[in-house]
C-alpha cells in the first residue's frame, strides 16, 4: 500500500515537472478558454500580434485601484496598436470575483474597459498554467508566441490610486519596448494584489 502511494506521488510529481512553467524568453503556454460571450478563444488565435494577459477580480482593492482609469487607458493604448488584451477571471464559483459572462460584460461596460476578450477561467486551468498568483498579474506574449514579460502592473504594491503616477509603469514600458523591438528593461517583476481565488 505504501509503495503504491509512493508511486502515485512520484507519478504526480513527474507529471507536474513535465508541465512547462511560464518562463520569460520561452514559448508562452498555449491554452483555450471560453470568453464572456461564449466564444472559444485560444492563445494561438493571436499569432502575429502582441498579447497582454491580465488576471483580474473586480472585488479586489488592488484591481479597483487600477480600474479608476489606469487599466482602461492601458487597454485603449494596446487596442490602438493592434495588441490583443485578454482579461482573465480565474475566480472559482462561490469565490470573490466569480462572475457570469453577462456580469463580466456589464462590468466592462460600466467601467469603460476595452479588453479584446474577457476569459472565464472558473476551473482555474489557465491561471494555474501561468502560475498566476495575484490580481492583477500581468504577462506579455510577442507575435512569435514568446513570453516577454511577467509580473506586476507597476512598481508600487499598494491599493492607493494616488500611487499610480509615482510608480514605474512596468507593463506600459515593457509593451512599448517590445513593440519598438528594444530590450525590455524590467522583463520579470514581482506581481502584487489579492490572491487569485482558485
Amino acid at each position: 500500500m505504501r509503495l503504491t502511494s509512493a508511486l502515485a506521488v512520484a507519478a504526480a510529481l513527474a507529471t507536474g515537472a513535465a508541465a512547462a512553467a511560464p518562463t520569460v524568453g520561452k514559448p508562452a503556454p498555449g491554452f483555450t478558454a471560453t470568453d464572456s460571450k461564449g466564444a472559444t478563444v485560444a492563445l494561438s488565435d493571436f499569432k502575429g500580434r502582441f498579447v497582454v494577459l491580465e488576471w483580474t477580480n473586480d472585488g479586489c482593492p488592488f484591481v479597483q485601484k487600477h480600474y479608476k482609469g489606469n487599466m482602461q487607458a492601458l487597454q485603449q493604448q494596446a487596442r490602438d496598436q493592434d495588441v490583443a488584451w485578454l482579461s482573465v477571471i480565474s475566480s472559482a464559483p462561490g469565490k470573490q470575483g466569480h462572475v457570469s459572462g453577462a456580469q463580466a460584460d456589464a462590468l466592462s461596460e460600466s467601467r469603460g474597459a476595452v479588453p479584446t476578450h474577457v476569459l472565464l477561467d472558473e476551473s482555474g486551468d489557465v491561471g494555474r498554467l501561468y502560475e498566476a498568483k495575484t490580481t492583477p498579474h500581468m504577462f506579455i506574449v510577442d507575435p512569435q508566441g514568446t513570453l516577454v514579460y511577467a509580473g506586476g502592473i507597476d512598481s508600487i504594491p499598494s491599493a492607493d490610486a494616488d500611487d499610480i503616477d509615482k510608480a514605474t509603469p512596468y507593463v506600459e514600458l515593457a509593451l512599448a519596448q517590445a513593440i519598438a523591438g528594444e530590450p525590455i528593461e524590467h522583463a520579470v517583476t514581482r506581481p502584487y494584489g489579492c490572491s487569485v481565488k482558485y
Side-chain angles (χ1 to χ4, degrees):
M1 186 71 173
R2 283 182 182 174
L3 181 58
T4 304
S5 297
L7 289 173
V9 169
L13 289 172
T15 303
T23 304
V24 166
K26 303 284 187 185
F31 62 82
T32 301
T34 302
D35 77 0
S36 57
K37 301 185 187 313
T40 299
V41 175
L43 181 62
S44 59
D45 294 342
F46 306 101
K47 189 93 172 173
R49 296 170 68 185
F50 281 96
V51 179
V52 174
L53 300 172
E54 167 219 353
W55 262 263
T56 189
N57 164 2
D58 72 292
C60 170
F62 295 91
V63 170
Q64 292 166 3
K65 161 191 175 178
H66 287 286
Y67 270 95
K68 289 179 178 169
N70 185 49
M71 195 71 78
Q72 296 94 321
L74 291 173
Q75 291 169 349
Q76 188 60 57
Q77 284 175 26
R79 188 177 197 150
D80 291 346
Q81 297 175 89
D82 195 37
V83 174
W85 188 291
L86 307 179
S87 297
V88 186
I89 301 173
S90 292
S91 298
K95 299 282 183 76
Q96 182 193 63
H98 180 267
V99 291
S100 67
Q103 289 169 324
D105 287 342
L107 268 171
S108 291
E109 186 174 351
S110 69
R111 298 187 293 192
V114 288
T116 309
H117 296 275
V118 178
L119 304 183
L120 305 179
D121 177 41
E122 62 179 26
S123 68
D125 290 346
V126 180
R128 290 188 181 93
L129 184 65
Y130 274 78
E131 299 181 359
K133 294 176 174 56
T134 62
T135 51
H137 195 161
M138 311 290 293
F139 300 85
I140 301 173
V141 180
D142 76 6
Q144 290 73 47
T146 301
L147 188 66
V148 296
Y149 177 81
I153 186 169
D154 65 20
S155 64
I156 299 182
S158 83
D160 185 350
D162 290 340
D163 286 333
I164 292 173
D165 289 339
K166 306 172 200 167
T168 302
Y170 289 143
V171 169
E172 183 178 7
L173 289 174
L175 188 57
Q177 289 165 344
I179 289 172
E182 299 170 356
I184 296 175
E185 186 178 358
H186 304 284
V188 179
T189 65
R190 186 174 180 174
Y192 69 86
C194 306
S195 62
V196 177
K197 308 301 187 213
Y198 293 117

